[in-house]
Amino acid sequence: MEKTSKTIDKAELERLSHEFTYRRYMMDKGKIRSLFKQIRIPEYIALYSIAQDEEISSIYGERTYLKELSEKMQLSMRQTSKMVGDLRDRGLVTWSHDGSGKEGTYVTITEAGKKLLAEQETIVKQFYGRVIDSFGRDHLIHLLHQMKEMETVMTSEIEKMEEAGEISGLQEGNADDEID
């Protein structure tokens, strides 16, 4: 926090912190959800990731392991298992395991899952095509690079705070069990 206090006053830090938190909230909870009628955003991301893994790795028969999906989406195993279980129950993925299961559990996308994913991708592409036309392709690419840099800095700072005991790490079964 030392660097911050030298470069930014306390009132401005408060305003910027709040505005950044609010903007992230609006991006996460905003009207974009209305584009997702048959599937939630995390489920879309999971299906997309599973489909991409299958497409990229089809030659080698690699699979999307639950642990990898959990890490990729930054969800607890409990949250990931619940989401994948819901997708399985709706016939969108199959959930299997290698050998006795100790080697790992994995998911594959079904034909119904591929169909729903394709329908959702069409909606998302139409929407973001309009957004990119209005916002500008280069502007968006620059913003995405900055967001990735910001995420890296934020992750690093959270890890430092966890190591210093200032905050506790993500625990299984906490308030984040709801993934919207």
Side-chain angles (χ1 to χ4, degrees):
M1 197 90 148
E2 227 174 281
K3 274 199 286 191
T4 304
S5 62
K6 291 180 183 177
T7 59
I8 190 170
D9 69 33
K10 201 172 188 177
E12 187 177 19
L13 175 60
E14 182 179 326
R15 283 190 305 274
L16 290 173
S17 298
H18 171 75
E19 185 64 20
F20 186 73
T21 301
Y22 177 72
R23 291 292 155 209
R24 287 194 44 112
Y25 168 79
M26 291 305 292
M27 290 294 291
D28 292 343
K29 302 291 184 188
K31 292 187 179 205
I32 195 154
R33 284 183 169 187
S34 66
L35 300 175
F36 294 82
K37 301 213 184 299
Q38 296 180 6
I39 191 168
R40 296 176 321 171
I41 295 171
E43 293 172 331
Y44 169 75
I45 293 168
L47 284 179
Y48 183 86
S49 295
I50 295 164
Q52 287 298 110
D53 286 350
E54 286 181 16
E55 189 176 303
I56 292 169
S57 303
S58 64
I59 297 171
Y60 303 106
E62 293 198 22
R63 303 165 173 140
T64 302
Y65 284 88
L66 213 53
K67 184 176 190 239
E68 293 166 351
L69 186 61
S70 172
E71 290 168 0
K72 185 180 228 176
M73 294 187 67
Q74 296 185 3
L75 297 172
S76 68
M77 280 300 290
R78 179 178 173 181
Q79 292 167 316
T80 306
S81 294
K82 182 180 181 332
M83 178 179 55
V84 169
D86 291 345
L87 292 171
R88 179 199 57 214
D89 293 347
R90 291 165 42 205
L92 303 174
V93 299
T94 59
W95 187 346
S96 305
H97 56 82
D98 289 329
S100 65
K102 292 180 182 179
E103 294 82 15
T105 58
Y106 61 90
V107 290
T108 54
I109 191 166
T110 64
E111 287 305 315
K114 289 176 185 177
K115 182 178 183 241
L116 179 61
L117 179 61
E119 291 168 5
Q120 188 61 55
E121 282 180 320
T122 299
I123 295 166
V124 170
K125 286 177 193 174
Q126 288 173 349
F127 172 72
Y128 281 108
R130 292 176 184 152
V131 169
I132 292 167
D133 285 346
S134 296
F135 192 66
R137 179 188 174 276
D138 292 341
H139 203 164
L140 180 65
I141 290 171
H142 181 71
L143 176 62
L144 292 172
H145 284 290
Q146 288 183 315
M147 288 172 73
K148 188 170 183 158
E149 287 178 32
M150 181 70 147
E151 182 182 330
T152 300
V153 169
M154 290 172 67
T155 299
S156 173
E157 291 303 319
I158 286 173
E159 288 170 357
K160 288 177 189 175
M161 292 175 78
E162 287 174 347
E163 288 173 8
E166 296 174 41
I167 61 172
S168 61
L170 179 67
Q171 298 174 0
E172 296 282 330
N174 70 6
D176 281 84
D177 274 346
E178 285 298 315
I179 52 169
D180 288 321

